[in-house]
Every structure is written in C-alpha cells, then in structure tokens.
Amino acid sequence: ERCRTAGIGGYLSAPAGDAEVVEALRYLLAPAAAGPGPLVTKHMLREERGRRRVLLADDNGVNRKVATRLLERAGYDVTSAVDGRGALERFVAGGWDLVLMDVQMPEMDGLEATRRIREHERERGLARIPILALTAHALDADRCAVIEAGMDGLIAKPIQADELLGALQRHLAPHASGGEAPGAPPALADVIDMSEALERMDGDEELLNELLRIFHADSGSMLLRLDEAAASGDAHHLERAAHALKGASATISTRRVSALAKDVEHLAREGRLADAVAPLAELRREFRRLVRALESVERRKAA
C-alpha cells in the first residue's frame, strides 16, 4: 500500500537476478491498460509464470534435475523426457508453452525430434511453440544446425540460472507485454506492402515469392541474433543485429518491422539501451506477426 501511495509500480526484494529485473521491467514498460496495473512483485511474477508449461528433454539426470529445480523455483510447471522420442510423444499430447531440447540424446536426438514436432504443427495447423536447444557446444555451425532443425534459440551448458530464465522470458512474452493473442495469422498484405515489394522486383512475382521463402527460412536465425544481442547488453552487438534485420525486412517491404528495427539500431548506436527496451519488444511482436503470415502462406502452398 505504501508503494501504491507513493506511485511506485513494483518492487523486488534483494537479491534479485538480472532475469527477474528484466521481466519486471517488461510489465512496467508495457502499454498501459485501462486503470492502474497490478503492483509488480516477485510473487506476482511467479504467479504469471506458473501458468506456463515447459517440456524438458535431456538424457542426463543431473542436467534434468538442475533445470527442473531452477524452473520450478521460478514458478514454471515442468515435465521431463529422457530422449527425443519421449519428448515427441509428450509434445503431441499438447498443452505446452515452450520446449527445452537437449541436442544429443539416444533413440532420437533433439534435432530430429524438433523436425518432427514442426512437421506435426504444420500438418495440423497448430501455433508454433518455441523450442530452445540445450547444448554444450555454441559454435556457429551448431547454431545453424539448431535453427535449420526448427529451433528458436540456444542455451549453453552448463546451465546458468539467469541465462535460462532470461531465455524463457524472451520467448514467452508476458500477457502484459501486449503479445498477440493466438488465432488466425495476419494476412500477408497486413504485414507487407505487396505492391511496393513487387515493384522493387520489377514486377517479377516469382522472384518476390523466392525472396519471401528465403526470408522465412532465415527468420529464426535473425530473431535469435536479435535476442542474443539484446541479452548481451552490448550496444554495438545490438546495433549490428538490428541493422541486419532492418535491411532484410526493407527488401521485402515490411515497413513496420523495418521502421522498428531502424529505431532500435539508432538507440543502440547512441548507447541508449534502456530507451530501446520498448521498441525492441514491439519489434519482436511485429516480427513474429510477419513470420506467422509467411508460415500461413507456406502451409497453403504445401497443401
């Protein structure tokens, strides 16, 4: 009550981890709803996370224990599998918000399990669930492999609490952040200026379709680079990631995404990382809307 009277939006008791601070900031910086929002506290954040179900696949019992303990203490509901085949069986049962997938497992490795999960989603027209790789290797070749398999990011082993929880928060947009509700994907014309894009290709519709396909295929790696740059706290790294996304999105006339990426690039160049939090969150939302629209087109073509 003293916080409310003083006009304080939230408080965290010390010690508070980096990931917890970032999550609290996302609530406080979200577009305001009608009336005052709830006071942001550790308890409130844990209640919100408690609604999220995480599927954890790892053949190493120690790794499963560590990850499960960290996630459950943060308020997540965790179910585990010991190999890729078990993960696939549990995933098909439904109800998951995110999957943590070890890359190297017996029976079926994490890459194959992910490919089958993505196939299952496409065949049934299901929303794409974030899948994050767990791996002791973080080389560029490994990053390419997990993205090509259909994963959305990578968490290096040994697992660090802030890195794990921060990754989940980036891929599980809180309700208060204004994330788009599930439903029908937006029409392509809602996210891309098709007339301008076609004019840029000199009327070559086949070339435009090929560029859209390439952009869709690269979207996972572009978003991963953006998220990693934002998490690193390195302004120059974020500037480069936003610049690359700005150029790629401008080529296919995704004006909203390109404009937001330009804003983030400008703020990062000036070292104003705190000011970049809100446009960065909006950029992620708009980028995911674009990806959903492109996925819808790919599904229709496949059918």
Side-chain angles (χ1 to χ4, degrees), residues 29-292:
L29 292 170
L39 190 70
V40 176
T41 65
K42 280 190 174 185
H43 178 70
M44 177 265 203
L45 295 175
R46 286 178 178 174
E47 279 191 337
E48 286 293 319
R49 290 191 223 111
R51 302 169 190 169
R52 306 302 181 96
R53 296 187 66 213
V54 176
L55 175 59
L56 167 65
D58 196 315
D59 64 316
N60 185 292
V62 173
N63 290 337
R64 286 200 309 275
K65 183 70 173 180
V66 170
T68 298
R69 184 66 179 271
L70 290 172
L71 292 170
E72 287 181 343
R73 285 181 59 188
Y76 293 99
D77 180 13
V78 184
T79 298
S80 62
V82 298
D83 56 41
R85 194 174 303 281
L88 179 60
E89 292 172 354
R90 286 167 175 75
F91 182 88
V92 170
W96 306 105
D97 295 296
L98 184 140
V99 179
L100 292 171
M101 185 80 75
D102 186 23
V103 173
Q104 295 182 333
M105 292 185 289
E107 295 293 325
M108 179 188 295
D109 66 24
L111 300 179
E112 179 60 24
T114 298
R115 283 189 283 266
R116 296 197 185 190
I117 285 173
R118 294 307 185 208
E119 183 179 355
H120 172 78
E121 290 173 335
R122 286 192 297 270
E123 288 176 348
R124 288 158 181 78
L126 302 175
R128 180 187 173 101
I129 302 299
I131 301 177
L132 304 181
L134 296 173
T135 178
H137 308 289
L139 302 175
D140 287 342
D142 299 302
R143 295 178 188 277
C144 289
V146 302
I147 294 300
E148 288 173 0
M151 295 183 179
D152 300 286
L154 183 151
I155 299 172
K157 295 181 182 179
I159 294 172
Q160 302 295 323
D162 270 355
E163 183 181 355
L164 174 66
L165 298 178
L168 263 68
Q169 289 159 16
R170 290 194 298 276
H171 290 275
L172 291 174
H175 301 303
S177 71
E180 187 180 357
L188 204 57
D190 291 340
V191 291
I192 295 177
D193 187 330
M194 296 299 290
S195 297
E196 180 183 273
L198 192 58
E199 183 178 352
R200 181 175 284 111
M201 301 301 119
D202 197 27
D204 191 332
E205 189 171 346
E206 184 178 347
L207 175 58
L208 176 58
N209 288 335
E210 177 66 11
L211 285 179
L212 295 181
R213 186 194 64 76
I214 293 172
F215 186 97
H216 181 219
D218 290 345
S219 61
S221 59
M222 285 190 284
L223 187 58
L224 174 60
R225 284 195 294 271
L226 185 71
D227 282 344
E228 289 183 335
S232 73
D234 184 325
H236 184 57
H237 190 186
L238 180 59
E239 179 190 351
R240 290 202 310 266
H243 178 79
L245 182 53
K246 179 189 72 174
S249 56
T251 300
I252 60 171
S253 298
T254 58
R255 290 182 176 177
R256 180 64 178 155
V257 171
S258 181
L260 287 166
K262 183 178 180 180
D263 289 344
V264 172
E265 178 190 18
H266 173 73
L267 292 168
R269 184 181 301 119
E270 295 188 345
R272 296 162 57 191
L273 294 182
D275 293 336
V277 171
L280 186 59
E282 181 65 17
L283 173 58
R284 288 192 185 100
R285 286 194 292 271
E286 287 298 319
F287 189 81
R288 290 188 174 108
R289 288 185 73 238
L290 170 61
V291 171
R292 289 185 67 211

